[in-house]
Amino acid sequence: MDETLGAALRRWRDRLSPVDVGRATRPGRRAAGLRREELAELAGLSVDYVVRLEQGRATNPSAQVVASLARALQLQPLERDYAYRLAGLLPPQEGRISAHVPAGVQRMLARLGEFPVGVFSADWTLLSWTPAWAALMGDPSTRTPAERNLVRAVFAAGPTGLSSWPVIHDGEALNTALVADLRTALLNYPDDRALTDLVTELRTTSAEFTRLWDGGAVGPHVSARKTVVHPQVGDVTCDCDVLTVPGSDIRLVVYTVAAGSVDAEKLEFLRVASGVRVGGSPPSGPGLFSAP
């Protein structure tokens, strides 16, 4: 008998350890894998919808829902494609930017709860983040995918959605590197309509983007210092590093502060105030996909 999406979801949920998503195991826990409630939270879905999916009562999940479940379940690319097919959908096509976060990156994020870390796709859309990122930058789960695009946020004329507070940085170096990255992404993913639309939009709305794009801007990402103007604790100055994942276009943006510094005390206050437990909280996900 052919496997159903619900059966596959249960199988994948049962094999995933709570430790892999940053949850501490407690004595007396009966479930070896993830509970439905935990999967729902990680995927940004309602528990009732996860139950209906597993029981086969919800039979037409959207591509966004399947993508969210694939990330939460830390599926490998072939497993992710299998999930799409079980849902009656075409897997993501080659030549388009992937929003898939590798399982190893997700496990690493689960253990980096102390640091603000954001995971970005090739077009610089924020895909996932640690709770400390949300504590420092503001919760991205309330933003649309378009608002979570860093390039759009940097070059937008008005208020941006990626960060809830002002972020002071070396604009020219960052802007040049972002434009260079977007040009490379367009070469790698010429069939990605969303990427093409993003470039067209920015060339229409941003004179600075147009200047850098037409000038053939080339600039690598380098370590930088950024100041987040947070309404609760004031200025928090961090070192920012961009790490690339070998074999993938995924980028990790990591904010760190010197141990024992005033900035470290401010970041710790924000973590405590937001309920972030180092080593005990899962990485956040999009949180935008409510059950139909």
Side-chain angles (χ1 to χ4, degrees):
M1 181 180 295
D2 293 338
E3 187 173 31
T4 65
L5 177 61
L9 292 177
R10 290 192 298 271
R11 174 166 56 83
W12 289 325
R13 178 168 59 82
D14 288 342
R15 78 174 185 187
L16 192 61
S17 168
V19 177
D20 290 334
V21 298
R23 295 182 180 274
T25 56
R26 297 177 181 177
R29 180 186 174 103
R30 296 181 180 179
L34 290 184
R35 296 188 177 97
R36 286 168 171 166
E37 294 81 1
E38 293 167 335
L39 173 59
E41 179 184 348
L42 290 168
L45 300 167
S46 72
V47 178
D48 176 69
Y49 188 55
V50 171
V51 171
R52 288 191 283 128
L53 280 171
E54 291 194 353
Q55 293 179 347
R57 294 187 289 116
T59 57
N60 296 297
S62 68
Q64 288 182 322
V65 166
V66 176
S68 183
L69 287 167
R71 281 193 293 268
L73 290 166
Q74 301 184 5
L75 301 186
Q76 298 297 328
L78 289 177
E79 294 174 326
R80 175 205 59 191
D81 292 351
Y82 181 54
Y84 273 87
R85 292 189 180 96
L86 289 176
L89 301 167
L90 289 175
Q93 299 179 13
E94 293 185 6
R96 295 185 179 179
I97 292 175
S98 174
H100 181 70
V101 181
V105 173
Q106 295 192 54
R107 288 191 290 268
M108 181 170 60
L109 285 180
R111 290 160 174 79
L112 288 176
E114 178 182 356
F115 301 108
V117 183
V119 181
F120 290 82
S121 60
D123 64 351
W124 283 100
T125 296
L126 182 64
L127 302 175
S128 188
W129 52 89
T130 60
W133 173 285
L136 176 64
M137 309 295 287
D139 186 6
S141 68
T142 61
R143 311 295 183 181
T144 67
E147 290 174 329
R148 294 201 308 269
N149 182 272
L150 177 61
V151 187
R152 180 181 283 111
V154 166
F155 287 98
T160 64
L162 186 61
S163 175
S164 298
W165 338 116
V167 179
I168 303 170
H169 55 79
D170 182 355
E172 185 65 23
L174 174 63
N175 294 5
T176 301
L178 289 176
V179 172
D181 280 352
L182 217 60
R183 183 185 299 278
T184 300
L186 195 59
L187 291 174
N188 292 336
Y189 304 99
D191 298 328
D192 192 294
R193 180 61 182 272
L195 175 60
T196 303
D197 289 346
L198 175 62
V199 172
T200 301
E201 170 195 331
L202 293 174
R203 284 176 56 82
T204 303
T205 59
S206 172
E208 182 183 8
F209 180 89
T210 301
R211 175 180 64 83
L212 292 172
W213 185 270
D214 291 344
V218 176
H221 286 280
V222 296
S223 298
R225 291 181 69 80
K226 297 188 179 183
T227 300
V228 180
V229 185
H230 198 283
Q232 286 183 275
V233 297
D235 293 357
V236 183
T237 301
C238 309
D239 291 311
C240 177
D241 294 279
V242 178
L243 312 178
T244 57
V245 179
S248 171
D249 284 330
I250 294 295
R251 296 88 179 265
L252 275 66
V253 175
V254 184
Y255 285 87
T256 59
V257 293
S261 65
V262 173
D263 292 307
E265 293 177 359
K266 292 180 179 180
L267 192 56
E268 178 63 20
F269 173 83
L270 292 176
R271 286 196 295 258
V272 173
S274 62
V276 174
R277 294 173 297 161
V278 176
S281 297
S284 299
L288 294 173
F289 310 129
S290 57

